[in-house]
Amino acid sequence: MRVPFLDLTSQYREVKDRIDADVAEIFATSAFVLGKHNRGLEEEIASLHRVKHAIAVNSGTDALRIAMQATGIECGDEVITTAFSFVATIETVVQLGARPVLVEIDPVTYNVDPAAIEAAITPKTKAILPIHLFGQLADVVAIKEIADRHGLFVLEDAAQAIAGERDGVPTGHWGRACGISFYVTKNLGAAGDGGLILTNEDEVAERSRSLRVHGMGRERYYYDEVGYTSRMAELQAAVLRAKLTRLADWNARRSELAAIYSHELAGEGLTLPTTAPGNNNTWHQYTVRHPHRDALAAFLKENEVDSAIYYPVPLHLHKPYAHLAQGPGSLPVTERVCQECLSLPIHAHLSDEQVRFAAAKVREFCRSHAVAR
Ligand SMILES: Cc1ncc(COP(=O)(O)O)c(C=O)c1O
């Protein structure tokens, strides 16, 4: 039995009629940019997150960069975040001339460890940038409390956590601005790149809208600041709106599959993913840890079960970001997690049998590689 990591064709099949009709209309009318699908998507995502403003842009990376610039992150500022993320989280900070200050993650949720934040605050610190990794929110209650106490603000990297909530409050409310990614593999994925900024602040929204079109002010071809070319294509917005009608069901199915994995894999010596109290996990990934991770991945591959490593190398051990830490050993929890983590297939178009089969293969490996923990 084959267990694929993704099945984008099945996603498309569910909404094919709507996508095909919308794409045909876009070509027939040549309404390719910033049209009704952009506006519709912005309204629908704002309403899903109960946030005042949503600004569609052309990637999650741009969403972060624009959100930071629009909230005033600039040269010389420090932004506290972690090294267990996709590179875009810190790349964008560096591109603005600011410095990412990398602190440890919580070994249970893999999100920023609030206890590590306070020691990293300096007079240059301006913001805390938690990543809501693998579909669940970081400990935003503790993070917000620390930020408020030190006169800092929070920015959310919710690239992997659309529709995520903490204590019933969706992502997008915890920070001054929040970036979402619609990269193809995300829970809500475009047919290419796409992203979106959420904010409750009118000024941040207005500045973000300007930054996505080169910093243009209200008057055409008059510029207020140096911006970007970051419009979302109407084709992408149309695809996303069609898939958005299925997102709640797809996320619910991910949750069912996560429960199957957790049941089938309990007591096998693996570290299983844990959802923190108060969080609704959207299960972007189901990530386990095993000390013989590479051998486990190879065994799964032999048995036609896909897997993926998010992330094999922490950000501070990549050449362009090496100056942000003291080399190997400087973030031991993060480094260990990177050596041990493995994400198993979890998406709405897997059957219970496929997930049970994948879990059985993981179990078989664990039993032949028992480790003392
Ligand atoms: C945590 C995180 N931040 C930022 C991004 C950047 O998003 P995009 O790939 O849409 O530019 C991603 C997406 O891969 C991500 O996973």
Side-chain angles (χ1 to χ4, degrees):
M1 183 183 298
R2 173 144 167 64
V3 189
F5 204 76
L6 283 171
D7 181 358
L8 301 178
T9 311
S10 294
Q11 274 191 5
Y12 170 56
R13 259 190 227 116
E14 281 194 37
V15 284
K16 181 179 184 315
D17 291 349
R18 178 166 166 175
I19 289 181
D20 291 355
D22 285 343
V23 168
E25 192 200 353
I26 289 168
F27 275 98
T29 58
S30 301
F32 292 118
V33 286
L34 294 181
K36 72 173 185 184
H37 290 295
N38 261 255
R39 287 192 298 276
L41 180 72
E42 288 176 347
E43 275 166 30
E44 287 154 12
I45 304 273
S47 144
L48 175 70
H49 288 257
R50 306 194 295 279
V51 168
K52 201 165 169 195
H53 304 282
I55 301 98
V57 292
N58 72 12
S59 70
T61 305
D62 274 7
L64 287 176
R65 192 189 294 113
I66 290 174
M68 284 185 223
Q69 191 166 333
T71 50
I73 299 293
E74 54 194 17
C75 211
D77 290 341
E78 291 181 355
V79 177
I80 298 175
T81 189
T82 80
F84 191 51
S85 185
F86 181 62
V87 68
T89 308
I90 63 166
E91 174 190 55
T92 45
V93 178
V94 172
Q95 284 165 343
L96 290 174
R99 183 184 174 90
V101 174
L102 304 174
V103 301
E104 273 291 21
I105 54 169
D106 174 320
V108 175
T109 64
Y110 311 133
N111 285 322
V112 64
D113 179 357
I117 293 175
E118 223 149 347
I121 295 174
T122 75
K124 290 184 179 170
T125 309
K126 196 171 228 173
I128 305 170
L129 171 60
I131 302 131
H132 303 325
L133 206 68
F134 301 153
Q136 73 163 322
L137 267 61
D139 187 351
V140 278
V141 174
I143 293 165
K144 185 111 179 37
E145 188 274 320
I146 296 169
D148 290 347
R149 196 151 34 80
H150 290 270
L152 311 173
F153 63 86
V154 178
L155 291 163
E156 296 176 80
D157 181 342
Q160 302 186 6
I162 187 165
E165 292 182 359
R166 163 72 191 244
D167 297 341
V169 178
T171 180
H173 287 269
W174 298 94
R176 286 186 61 201
C178 168
I180 287 178
S181 166
F182 299 124
Y183 181 62
V184 283
T185 57
K186 296 294 194 280
N187 289 27
L188 179 63
D193 282 304
L196 181 137
I197 299 149
L198 291 171
T199 181
N200 280 315
E201 295 184 24
D202 297 347
E203 263 178 44
V204 171
E206 188 170 343
R207 201 166 161 195
S208 300
R209 285 187 197 285
S210 160
L211 284 168
R212 80 174 162 185
V213 280
H214 304 282
M216 194 152 73
R218 282 170 190 227
E219 214 172 326
R220 209 168 160 75
Y221 300 128
Y222 286 78
Y223 303 95
D224 293 334
E225 63 181 313
V226 178
Y228 309 94
T229 171
S230 191
R231 291 171 289 247
M232 176 182 282
E234 278 288 275
L235 289 167
Q236 299 297 359
V239 168
L240 289 165
R241 291 182 78 193
K243 289 191 181 180
L244 183 57
T245 62
R246 305 291 305 121
L247 182 66
D249 287 344
W250 288 347
N251 279 353
R253 179 68 183 148
R254 283 173 183 267
S255 210
E256 285 173 10
L257 297 178
I260 296 178
Y261 272 130
S262 293
H263 181 259
E264 301 278 317
L265 294 175
E268 298 292 339
L270 284 166
T271 305
L272 298 180
T274 305
T275 300
N279 274 359
N280 88 317
N281 198 330
T282 61
W283 294 107
H284 177 56
Q285 300 295 346
Y286 188 94
T287 302
V288 299
R289 282 202 284 139
H290 193 285
H292 303 301
R293 184 266 316 279
D294 293 340
L296 170 59
F299 179 78
L300 293 178
K301 191 168 178 208
E302 276 164 29
N303 287 284
E304 303 208 302
V305 175
D306 287 353
S307 64
I309 301 173
Y310 301 113
Y311 295 91
V313 179
L315 295 174
H316 65 292
L317 299 185
H318 292 277
K319 201 166 115 199
Y321 306 106
H323 63 289
L324 298 174
Q326 306 301 317
S330 48
L331 292 168
V333 179
T334 303
E335 289 166 36
R336 179 163 179 200
V337 170
C338 285
Q339 283 160 9
E340 296 187 345
C341 63
L342 191 69
S343 299
L344 304 176
I346 186 161
H347 57 81
H349 298 93
L350 289 171
S351 65
D352 291 7
E353 291 65 36
Q354 282 172 302
V355 167
R356 288 211 173 89
F357 177 78
K361 290 296 158 192
V362 175
R363 248 186 350 248
E364 196 179 321
F365 178 88
C366 290
R367 289 179 186 174
S368 59
H369 290 75
V371 279
R373 288 295 235 174

